[in-house]
Amino acid sequence: MFTRSSKWNVKSIILVTLIGIIMGVLYTYGFNNVYNLVKLSFLPTGYAPVVDNIFTGLWYMAAPLAMYFVPTPGSGTIGELLAATVEMAIGGQWGALTIFEGLVQGAANEVGFFPKNERYERFSWKSVLTGAFFANLGGFIPSYFLFGWSYYSVTLQVAMFITSMISALLFDGVLVKLITNLFDKALKPITK
């Protein structure tokens, strides 16, 4: 049996830190490499900016995983921020901007759970998908201005937004919930 602590203690800090480290390594050496290869293959088509958004949901996953294991306000923000910091520190391609994005995406992901502790503890489909929706907004809006997406055609901008929303709901929402359901079956956690 596994205990999910809704209070900050040494175990909670270690769990969120481990999730941040593991996800930061996955972001850098897994997701970033796949993203770069796929984007490179789309350059000649003119739709490479859409590829920016196919994978966005993958980079939001640290927050809900942290909130699953440590169901308390702030755990998702800290988990995503740590993942972004690790990604930057080990050579992530977006440099220090990664930390800002991790902070915004993690905090936005918590909208699906905040302010009620019961939402963190239940970790329901509704909370996870709502968190994924807001994580996408937290990722898309700053990127829109930082990377000059406003200069793209309206059609391309709409395609990018729809693609990023589907990605967030699929990876950050559905995939994370399915993963945590497997943890529920294997660990049979209780929440204190």
Side-chain angles (χ1 to χ4, degrees):
M1 186 178 331
F2 176 75
T3 304
R4 295 169 59 218
S5 177
S6 60
K7 302 208 182 318
W8 285 106
N9 55 36
V10 173
K11 179 181 162 190
S12 300
I13 293 167
I14 291 171
L15 274 171
V16 171
T17 303
L18 284 173
I19 290 165
I21 292 169
I22 291 166
M23 293 307 293
V25 170
L26 276 173
Y27 292 170
T28 304
Y29 297 116
F31 303 158
N32 289 356
N33 290 331
V34 172
Y35 160 83
N36 289 333
L37 287 172
V38 174
K39 185 167 182 176
L40 182 64
S41 68
F42 273 82
L43 281 175
T45 69
Y47 286 98
V50 176
V51 174
D52 287 342
N53 296 290
I54 289 174
F55 297 102
T56 54
L58 293 169
W59 285 286
Y60 306 153
M61 292 173 61
L65 288 172
M67 289 186 284
Y68 170 79
F69 284 103
V70 182
T72 192
S75 60
T77 304
I78 294 168
E80 194 68 55
L81 180 61
L82 286 171
T85 303
V86 168
E87 180 182 2
M88 183 211 63
I90 62 175
Q93 61 202 45
W94 292 283
L97 180 60
T98 308
I99 294 174
F100 167 73
E101 290 176 341
L103 177 64
V104 172
Q105 292 160 4
N109 215 315
E110 292 209 34
V111 171
F113 299 85
F114 193 79
K116 298 182 179 179
N117 283 344
E118 307 89 59
R119 290 182 185 160
Y120 287 87
E121 293 167 7
R122 275 189 267 131
F123 205 79
S124 69
W125 277 100
K126 180 181 177 184
S127 293
V128 173
L129 291 172
T130 303
F133 174 85
F134 282 100
N136 182 62
L137 291 180
F140 190 88
I141 292 170
S143 296
Y144 182 83
F145 296 102
L146 290 169
F147 300 124
W149 292 351
S150 60
Y151 294 105
Y152 297 147
S153 71
V154 173
T155 304
L156 187 56
Q157 291 177 40
V158 170
M160 291 168 66
F161 182 76
I162 290 170
T163 303
S164 69
M165 189 58 72
I166 291 169
S167 175
L169 292 172
L170 181 66
F171 294 121
D172 185 43
V174 174
L175 181 60
V176 166
K177 183 62 177 150
L178 292 175
I179 290 169
T180 59
N181 284 349
L182 292 174
F183 281 123
D184 283 344
K185 286 180 183 176
L187 300 175
K188 303 200 182 340
I190 58 169
T191 304
K192 285 188 179 181

